[in-house]
């Protein structure tokens, strides 16, 4: 049931993108969606031919999942570029980002690669998913620093859906690998997490609402509202 509704949502996202002519606007995202749709159909045909417990299905499933991680990194890199714009990232900032990524993912990498007889695909996702979570946080930091940029409904939906997906899948993979959660539970949440992310994608990409950069007057008004909110929060906390 989850596979059927997930495939229907993928088709719906592609259909709306075609109607609204959004394919050229967000090539990394729709490359990812198109690949996921093709991979889903390929897995289904393999399951019908060999069953979901066969070796053929195992390799088709996990081999098709490897490019998805790199496509997701591509989406995050595209979001970063759209937020920052023509502003050049300094070497100091890049070094800070790299140190955050290494600090937060090195313990997980050490744990994964030090375990004996770890399945390659499980270890790969158990390592790359937390790394994607960190990159999502860095992109959110970009959005916070560059508050003159309004991401718009579409890019906000991409970031939110992808962040939910990689965070939930990271928990799912690490629990199965380290805490030995039942295989049935792992497989259920594997599909369920994708289903939730697809709901976010289909809702936020229903209409074309692109990024826009606030003008000076809009930026001043935004900062004024932000200051007023901070004052209200301080007053409530002091009380």
């Amino acid at each position: 049931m989850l596979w059927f509704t997930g495939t229907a949502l993928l088709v719906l996202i592609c259909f709306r993108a075609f109607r609204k002519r959004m394919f050229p606007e967000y090539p990394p995202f729709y490359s990812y969606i198109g690949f996921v749709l093709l991979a889903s159909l390929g897995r289904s045909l393999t399951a019908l031919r060999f069953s979901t417990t066969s070796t053929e299905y195992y390799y088709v499933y996990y081999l098709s999942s490897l490019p998805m991680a790199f496509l997701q990194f591509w989406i995050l890199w595209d979001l970063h570029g759209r937020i920052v714009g023509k502003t050049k990232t300094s070497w100091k900032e890049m070094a800070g980002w790299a140190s955050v990524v290494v600090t937060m993912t090195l313990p997980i990498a050490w744990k994964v690669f030090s375990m004996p007889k770890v399945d390659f695909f499980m270890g790969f996702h158990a390592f790359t998913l937390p790394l994607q979570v960190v990159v999502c946080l860095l992109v959110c930091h970009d959005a916070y620093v560059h508050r003159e940029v309004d991401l718009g409904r579409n890019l906000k939906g991409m970031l939110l859906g992808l962040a939910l997906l990689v965070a939930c899948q990271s928990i799912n993979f690490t629990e199965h690998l380290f805490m030995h959660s039942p295989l049935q539970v792992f497989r259920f949440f594997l599909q369920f997490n994708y289903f939730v992310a697809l709901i976010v994608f289909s809702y936020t990409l229903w209409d074309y609402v692109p990024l826009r950069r606030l003008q000076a007057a809009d930026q001043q008004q935004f900062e004024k509202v932000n200051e007023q909110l901070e004052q209200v929060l301080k007053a409530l906390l002091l009380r």
Side-chain angles (χ1 to χ4, degrees):
M1 186 63 182
L2 282 176
W3 173 87
F4 178 79
T5 51
T7 304
L9 286 174
L10 287 169
V11 174
L12 177 64
I13 292 170
C14 293
F15 175 74
R16 287 298 297 179
F18 176 76
R19 289 289 302 273
K20 295 294 182 177
R21 300 179 181 179
M22 290 193 287
F23 284 108
E25 296 296 328
Y26 309 116
F29 177 78
Y30 285 108
S31 297
Y32 168 71
I33 292 296
F35 183 84
V36 172
L37 179 58
L38 292 176
S40 178
L41 295 175
R43 292 168 180 175
S44 302
L45 293 175
T46 306
L48 291 173
R49 177 67 177 83
F50 298 102
S51 82
T52 56
T53 58
S54 64
T55 305
E56 290 82 2
Y57 180 81
Y58 169 83
Y59 281 106
V60 168
Y61 187 94
Y62 282 108
L63 284 174
S64 63
S65 69
L66 294 181
M68 293 181 190
F70 298 102
L71 289 171
Q72 289 167 351
F73 278 119
W74 186 23
I75 294 171
L76 292 171
W77 178 254
D78 181 61
L79 288 171
H80 165 73
R82 290 173 185 268
I83 295 170
V84 175
K86 296 181 180 180
T87 304
K88 293 184 178 180
T89 305
S90 65
W91 285 104
K92 183 178 181 181
E93 187 176 355
M94 291 181 64
W97 283 20
S99 63
V100 170
V101 171
V102 171
T103 302
M104 296 186 69
T105 57
L106 187 60
I108 299 174
W110 178 265
K111 181 67 176 179
V112 169
F113 294 114
S114 63
M115 292 179 66
K117 299 180 180 179
V118 176
D119 180 88
F120 169 78
F121 299 107
M122 293 294 298
F124 174 82
H125 290 295
F127 169 66
T128 56
L129 283 168
L131 181 61
Q132 289 172 269
V133 173
V134 176
V135 177
C136 283
L137 292 174
L138 294 176
V139 174
C140 291
H141 176 265
D142 286 337
Y144 176 77
V145 172
H146 297 271
R147 282 175 285 185
E148 74 280 3
V149 178
D150 180 8
L151 287 178
R153 177 176 176 175
N154 304 147
L155 295 179
K156 286 178 182 177
M158 292 178 198
L159 182 57
L160 175 60
L162 190 56
L164 284 172
L165 175 62
V166 297
C168 294
Q169 294 292 46
S170 177
I171 296 171
N172 192 29
F173 270 88
T174 51
E175 275 200 351
H176 182 65
L177 187 61
F178 301 135
M179 307 300 293
H180 307 288
S181 62
L183 184 61
Q184 294 82 357
V185 175
F186 169 74
R187 287 180 174 176
F188 170 78
F189 281 106
L190 201 62
Q191 290 188 335
F192 180 76
N193 295 335
Y194 266 108
F195 176 69
V196 173
L198 290 176
I199 290 175
V200 175
F201 291 148
S202 60
Y203 175 75
T204 55
L205 290 156
W206 189 259
D207 293 310
Y208 178 56
V209 184
L211 173 148
R212 70 185 184 95
R213 296 187 179 274
L214 301 178
Q215 300 297 324
D218 296 331
Q219 178 65 13
Q220 291 177 358
Q221 182 66 24
F222 176 81
E223 291 177 353
K224 183 179 180 181
V225 172
N226 191 39
E227 290 176 359
Q228 290 174 349
L229 288 174
E230 288 180 357
Q231 291 175 0
V232 172
L233 288 174
K234 287 179 180 178
L236 290 173
L237 291 172
L238 288 174
R239 287 182 182 178

